[in-house]
Amino acid sequence: MPAKVKKQKFTMLFDWFDQGGDGLLTQDDFQAMGDLFGGLAADDDRENASAMREAFEEWWRVLLAHGDADGDGRITRKEFLDVMEVNVTAPEHFGTAVLAIADALMRALDTNGDGELSEDEYVRMYSALGIPPEHSGEAFRRLDRDGNGAISHEEFRTAITEFYLSTDENAPGNWLIGPIE
């Protein structure tokens, strides 16, 4: 069961990242994701918008360097699943390719500087990232571990880490981009 849980999550991620809808991941897909995330920052927040774009560029470099088995400059679903398990989630890449996006996103969305996302902020983020909004309320409740009505930076990082690293099918972080299907 544990391997199945990660495969389901990484399959959902592949489908989300495949912005071109052609069943392959390309540099254009990752640039589009970087732009999508970067667009969540305020117009004058170039630092966080750039940080998110650069983290997606780093993620693409890791995928290409470690996952492009046939050297065609594109990542198939199988290549993605393999490289996610072995390389992207490895400690030497996870911080610069995944947590860097989460940290910049949190800074960009936390416009009042209180270190937390309200439910409204979270739902708006969910929708803007193209994630089906019907799951955002449930996701928020699961990620708000202390039940205080906000997701702290630490709760957000924990959710990201659980999504990518946990094999527990009941981990709250699995709801990061909706329920596991």
Side-chain angles (χ1 to χ4, degrees):
M1 180 68 89
K4 181 182 175 195
V5 170
K6 278 183 135 176
K7 183 178 180 182
Q8 288 172 297
K9 291 188 283 187
F10 294 159
T11 296
M12 288 171 58
L13 199 60
F14 181 93
D15 292 341
W16 186 34
F17 284 177
D18 182 14
Q19 293 287 295
D22 60 1
L24 296 166
L25 298 181
T26 64
Q27 186 171 14
D28 288 345
D29 290 321
F30 275 74
Q31 286 175 337
M33 289 303 292
D35 290 343
L36 185 64
F37 274 73
L40 292 172
D43 290 340
D44 62 346
D45 186 3
R46 290 188 177 93
E47 180 181 347
N48 288 313
S50 292
M52 287 183 271
R53 287 184 180 101
E54 288 168 16
F56 272 104
E57 287 173 18
E58 174 62 17
W59 197 332
W60 175 248
R61 285 190 290 273
V62 171
L63 287 175
L64 210 53
H66 299 282
D68 186 14
D70 58 9
D72 68 352
R74 302 177 303 179
I75 302 295
T76 66
R77 183 179 305 272
K78 181 181 180 339
E79 288 171 332
F80 182 76
L81 295 174
D82 292 345
V83 75
M84 285 298 295
E85 184 66 36
V86 176
N87 296 98
V88 175
T89 58
E92 65 269 22
H93 301 298
F94 189 68
T96 58
V98 179
L99 288 179
I101 295 167
D103 292 342
L105 182 60
M106 185 71 179
R107 287 190 306 268
L109 295 174
D110 180 21
T111 55
N112 67 1
D114 67 355
E116 298 181 329
L117 293 178
S118 70
E119 186 168 1
D120 287 344
E121 290 169 324
Y122 188 81
V123 168
R124 275 196 307 274
M125 172 193 72
Y126 224 70
S127 182
L129 292 177
I131 300 168
E134 62 267 14
H135 304 298
S136 60
E138 180 65 24
F140 182 85
R141 283 185 289 286
R142 288 175 185 257
L143 302 183
D144 177 16
R145 292 171 187 263
D146 61 10
N148 72 343
I151 296 173
S152 70
H153 191 168
E154 191 55 40
E155 286 171 324
F156 194 58
R157 284 182 124 240
T158 298
I160 300 281
T161 302
E162 278 182 347
F163 181 84
Y164 287 93
L165 304 180
S166 177
T167 57
D168 175 3
E169 62 187 293
N170 297 313
N174 292 345
W175 277 75
L176 198 61
I177 60 174
I180 297 176
E181 299 170 354

